[in-house]
Amino acid sequence: MKWGFPDFSIKTRIQLGVSTFLLVIVVLGSASIYYLRVIQKNAESIFTRNYAILEKSERFAHYSHQFRVNWIYFASGLDNSQTAIKKLYTGIYEVDSILINQRYLANGEVEPELMDSVRIALDKFKLDFKQSRFVGTFDTTAVSAEIFADLDRMIEVNERLANVLRKDVMSRYEKTKLTVNQVITSMVILSVSLSALGFLLLWLIPRYIVGPLNELAVRITRIGDKDFSQRMKGLNKSDEFGMLATAFNRMADQLNTYEQMNITEMVKEKKRIETIIDHLNEAIMVTDETNAVIWMNEQAETLFGLPRQAILGMKLNEIRPVNFSEEALLSRPNEQGASLFNFSAQIGNRTKYYHKEEVSVGTSLESNNGISAGKVIIFYDITDFRELDIAKTNFMATLSHQFKTPISAMNISLDLLHNPKLGKLNEEQEKLVTTLKTQNGRLLGMVNELLDLGQIETGKIRLLREEITAEELVNHSLSTIQAILENRELSVDKQYEKGLPELEVDLEKITWVLNNLLTNAARYSPKKGHIYLSVSKEKGFLRFSVRDEGPGIEEDLMARIFEKYQRNKFDKTKGTGLGLAIAREIIEAHKGKITVESELGKGSTFTFTLPYSS
């Protein structure tokens, strides 16, 4: 036995307990109905007999008195009519009837002598009246005295009989009262028994069910805390809780086995991974969800110039690297613009370049709000690539500079050929010179773009700032491309917000950016079309927008349109693909931004912002 129950299943025990409870309720209800019926029957009997006795007594008194009055009238000769005689007979009949009913009510419940007295008194009364009725003349006083004596005897006998019946009613009342007391006692006993049984069930069933469940909950919680030594003991193995305990113990055994195996494997795997990572060329650092460093390899020690023990446990914003600025550690990789490297570090006597990448590590098990459980920061050593890129840039700059001198000389020579002072050219020669000058100008533009790009990539870009209004800047730019606009019969719709402040910019370079955007818009817009140029003020910046009516830009090209050597498929010219890349570098050098919005078939809108003078 366990928890006060025999070795039955939980289902059987609950069924037995509930069935017993229901059985007691049925017994209590049946007993209540039976006793209530008995009380009802006794009460009805008492009421009926009591009412009959009262009614018969009142009628006997009434008719006996009425007979006495009628006899006086008859015997004294005041009324000898048939009606008077009929009234006397009616009175005798009613008295006789009442006494007979009284005898019927008292049948078997009074002494035989009293019943005989009733019968004798009644018979003598009727006999005396009969004799006096048929004698003719009689002694009125003597006969009346005799009849009145008989009548008094009947009244006395009736009163005795009524008293006996009243005692019988009281006896029945006492019996009913006793029955009621018995019913109350029985109901109290049954109610107490039922309550005791109910409390017993309320105590045993929850104790039996909740006890093992509470124990199971506690042990599952400890299992969740990695305490796999938990076992459930002392339960009856034949019931459901026993089966649950057996399954729980088996699960705990298997979890304990897996845990031992996993710990061993995890330790081996951790050492293996640490060995591999320590021998990688990249510097690697791992942080938790609070940005505290929990691991780093030897290459990271070298990069930071600090021992591993000094960094572990510190948050990223608390670390002060020796070989590079802390801003580079805290900045996001995409905050460095389009440059391939994020920062440079001075390690020994050499400047090295690194590209930083951050990878989130899943989500924390202790939270369900998707917060990262930490991150891995990888510092890729791109020094070799960076040095090659710098060498390439320097080579292109040198080469472009070397090209610029002979190209300029060719331009001067072509201008001299075109001069009438040196001789007039025929029509065919004129076309050749014009073609040469156009191609030479295009070549000079490419060389200038390469020179500008070289200056930007090597960080040698210089800004010669001067104050100018937005309207003056736009007009200066439009004047340099007027020939292109007239050739394609394009009109420029200008719109300026009122009260625009002045700008402090490098006029030549910003004009070059605006020219590039307007030239592209003219190139892609249909002939006799419109170009829309607007300038507005926006949170410390002036916003320049150039919108065309061209074919638009493909969606996959939108993300890289400002990178080098990217060209729209709708471009029919043979440009270098460097214009927008240079434009972005110039705008960002002025602390502004350049963006594009486009939809195929509906044109493109290029927008750049510049901070205005305070």
Side-chain angles (χ1 to χ4, degrees):
M1 296 180 66
K2 181 70 175 175
W3 307 105
F5 282 99
D7 293 336
F8 297 132
S9 67
I10 298 174
K11 179 180 178 182
T12 303
R13 293 169 187 175
I14 294 176
Q15 288 176 339
L16 287 175
V18 174
S19 300
T20 304
F21 194 73
L22 291 176
L23 179 61
V24 173
I25 293 176
V26 171
V27 171
L28 180 60
S30 301
S32 301
I33 294 173
Y34 170 75
Y35 283 117
L36 287 174
R37 293 289 294 174
V38 171
I39 294 171
Q40 180 187 20
K41 185 178 179 181
N42 291 338
E44 290 176 353
S45 175
I46 293 171
F47 176 77
T48 302
R49 293 174 68 83
N50 195 35
Y51 178 78
I53 293 169
L54 179 62
E55 190 263 340
K56 296 293 186 298
S57 298
E58 291 178 351
R59 284 181 63 199
F60 187 85
H62 170 74
Y63 284 110
S64 61
H65 175 71
Q66 192 67 36
F67 180 84
R68 190 185 297 272
V69 173
N70 291 335
W71 175 260
I72 292 172
Y73 275 93
F74 174 75
S76 63
L78 296 177
D79 187 3
N80 293 325
S81 65
Q82 291 296 322
T83 302
I85 295 171
K86 187 176 181 180
K87 288 182 179 179
L88 290 174
Y89 274 108
T90 301
I92 292 172
Y93 172 77
E94 290 294 339
V95 170
D96 185 23
S97 175
I98 290 171
L99 286 177
I100 291 173
N101 285 334
Q102 292 283 56
R103 288 172 60 193
Y104 173 75
L105 287 171
N107 185 28
E109 299 178 5
V110 298
E111 300 85 348
E113 293 81 3
L114 182 58
M115 297 301 295
D116 291 340
S117 297
V118 174
R119 181 177 52 80
I120 293 169
L122 181 60
D123 290 345
K124 190 174 185 309
F125 172 73
K126 291 193 290 183
L127 179 61
D128 289 341
F129 176 74
K130 184 178 180 182
Q131 289 176 351
S132 65
R133 174 74 184 89
F134 293 102
V135 169
T137 61
F138 55 86
D139 185 354
T140 305
T141 302
V143 172
S144 296
E146 185 71 25
I147 288 177
F148 286 160
D150 293 337
L151 188 61
D152 289 337
R153 277 194 296 272
M154 284 194 299
I155 291 173
E156 180 189 357
V157 170
N158 180 68
E159 186 63 31
R160 288 170 61 194
L161 185 58
N163 288 334
V164 170
L165 292 175
R166 289 190 185 96
K167 290 180 180 178
D168 179 63
V169 169
M170 289 304 297
S171 175
R172 290 175 181 266
Y173 169 73
E174 291 298 331
K175 290 181 179 179
T176 302
K177 186 177 179 182
L178 180 61
T179 303
V180 170
N181 291 333
Q182 290 175 346
V183 170
I184 293 174
T185 303
S186 300
M187 292 300 103
V188 170
I189 293 173
L190 287 173
S191 298
V192 171
S193 301
L194 181 62
S195 300
L197 179 61
F199 281 117
L200 182 63
L201 293 176
L202 287 175
W203 180 69
L204 287 178
I205 292 179
R207 184 173 174 229
Y208 176 74
I209 295 176
V210 175
L213 289 179
N214 286 337
E215 182 183 356
L216 180 62
V218 170
R219 296 191 184 281
I220 288 177
T221 302
R222 292 176 181 173
I223 286 283
D225 295 334
K226 300 298 183 67
D227 181 6
F228 298 117
S229 64
Q230 297 297 313
R231 300 294 184 273
M232 292 189 70
K233 302 176 182 178
L235 293 178
N236 178 21
K237 294 185 178 180
S238 62
D239 64 8
E240 290 85 346
F241 280 133
M243 297 169 60
L244 181 63
T246 302
F248 175 85
N249 293 338
R250 187 183 304 115
M251 177 195 71
D253 289 336
Q254 293 178 349
L255 287 175
N256 189 42
T257 303
Y258 294 152
E259 177 70 8
Q260 297 301 323
M261 294 174 57
N262 288 339
I263 290 175
T264 303
E265 291 298 324
M266 287 173 63
V267 170
K268 292 181 180 178
E269 192 65 25
K270 179 175 180 292
K271 291 181 178 179
R272 186 182 298 114
I273 293 174
E274 288 180 353
T275 302
I276 293 173
I277 294 177
D278 276 336
H279 287 81
L280 292 176
N281 292 327
E282 286 77 17
I284 299 175
M285 175 181 287
V286 182
T287 67
D288 60 15
E289 62 271 15
T290 65
N291 266 348
V293 179
I294 59 176
W295 188 86
M296 60 189 297
N297 62 359
E298 293 180 2
Q299 286 73 15
E301 289 185 77
T302 303
L303 172 61
F304 280 76
L306 295 170
R308 187 179 312 188
Q309 291 74 16
I311 296 178
L312 292 179
M314 296 179 67
K315 294 187 177 181
L316 293 180
N317 58 359
E318 299 172 345
I319 301 174
R320 301 294 181 266
V322 175
N323 297 331
F324 62 93
S325 66
E326 59 187 270
E327 289 80 6
L329 175 63
L330 298 177
S331 65
R332 301 288 297 178
N334 58 358
E335 291 177 356
Q336 301 294 332
S339 299
L340 181 61
F341 66 100
N342 291 89
F343 63 93
S344 60
Q346 191 69 32
I347 300 177
N349 296 323
R350 185 182 180 188
T351 300
K352 304 192 75 174
Y353 300 92
Y354 290 88
H355 170 74
K356 184 175 73 172
E357 183 176 335
E358 296 180 2
V359 181
S360 294
V361 183
T363 56
S364 176
L365 296 177
E366 298 179 357
S367 62
N368 296 320
N369 53 5
I371 298 177
S372 174
K375 58 186 175 182
V376 177
I377 305 175
I378 306 172
F379 302 92
Y380 293 100
D381 186 352
I382 56 170
T383 303
D384 294 340
F385 299 101
R386 179 59 184 161
E387 290 176 347
L388 288 174
D389 189 61
I390 293 174
K392 179 264 299 179
T393 300
N394 291 334
F395 171 75
M396 294 297 294
T398 303
L399 187 64
S400 300
H401 184 74
Q402 295 298 323
F403 281 165
K404 189 173 182 179
T405 300
I407 292 173
S408 298
M410 286 188 290
N411 262 343
I412 295 172
S413 299
L414 289 172
D415 287 337
L416 291 174
L417 281 175
H418 208 263
N419 192 337
K421 294 180 180 180
L422 297 180
K424 189 175 181 181
L425 302 176
N426 58 35
E427 185 177 351
E428 188 65 26
Q429 291 171 334
E430 187 78 25
K431 288 182 180 180
L432 289 173
V433 171
T434 301
T435 302
L436 286 172
K437 189 168 180 62
T438 300
Q439 296 300 321
N440 202 56
R442 183 166 172 270
L443 183 60
L444 184 60
M446 292 181 182
V447 170
N448 286 332
E449 286 184 355
L450 289 173
L451 285 172
D452 291 338
L453 182 63
Q455 289 181 351
I456 291 170
E457 287 186 342
T458 55
K460 296 178 181 179
I461 184 172
R462 295 170 58 192
L463 299 180
L464 304 176
R465 296 179 181 270
E466 57 182 286
E467 291 187 355
I468 188 171
T469 65
E471 189 172 358
E472 290 172 345
L473 176 62
V474 170
N475 291 335
H476 182 266
S477 176
L478 289 175
S479 64
T480 59
I481 64 166
Q482 193 63 37
I484 297 175
L485 297 174
E486 291 177 353
N487 183 51
R488 296 187 59 80
E489 301 180 48
L490 298 171
S491 62
V492 179
D493 295 341
K494 297 176 290 184
Q495 184 176 357
Y496 303 98
E497 184 179 321
K498 292 183 179 180
L500 294 175
E502 287 188 345
L503 295 167
E504 188 174 347
V505 297
D506 187 315
L507 177 59
E508 180 183 350
K509 289 180 172 57
I510 296 301
T511 300
W512 186 93
V513 171
L514 198 54
N515 284 353
N516 184 269
L517 297 181
L518 289 170
T519 302
N520 288 343
R523 183 185 306 162
Y524 293 112
S525 295
K527 281 192 175 184
K528 300 182 180 181
H530 293 270
I531 296 174
Y532 302 90
L533 193 154
S534 64
V535 185
S536 59
K537 188 166 64 173
E538 184 182 89
K539 296 180 181 179
F541 292 84
L542 289 190
R543 186 174 183 271
F544 293 77
S545 292
V546 178
R547 179 166 65 89
D548 61 47
E549 297 175 337
I553 303 172
E554 291 180 306
E555 186 175 354
D556 60 339
L557 182 61
M558 291 271 287
R560 60 180 193 277
I561 191 68
F562 293 105
E563 296 179 7
K564 293 183 289 185
Y565 312 118
Q566 300 297 322
R567 299 174 65 245
N568 195 337
K569 72 174 184 177
F570 301 108
D571 186 6
K572 303 302 181 182
T573 65
K574 295 182 179 180
T576 59
L578 297 173
L580 290 177
I582 296 172
R584 183 180 68 176
E585 297 294 343
I586 292 174
I587 295 300
E588 290 181 352
H590 282 81
K591 307 300 181 184
K593 289 184 179 181
I594 185 169
T595 58
V596 62
E597 296 177 1
S598 182
E599 186 176 350
L600 286 177
K602 295 185 179 181
S604 305
T605 301
F606 285 83
T607 302
F608 65 87
T609 59
L610 294 171
Y612 55 75
S613 303
S614 59

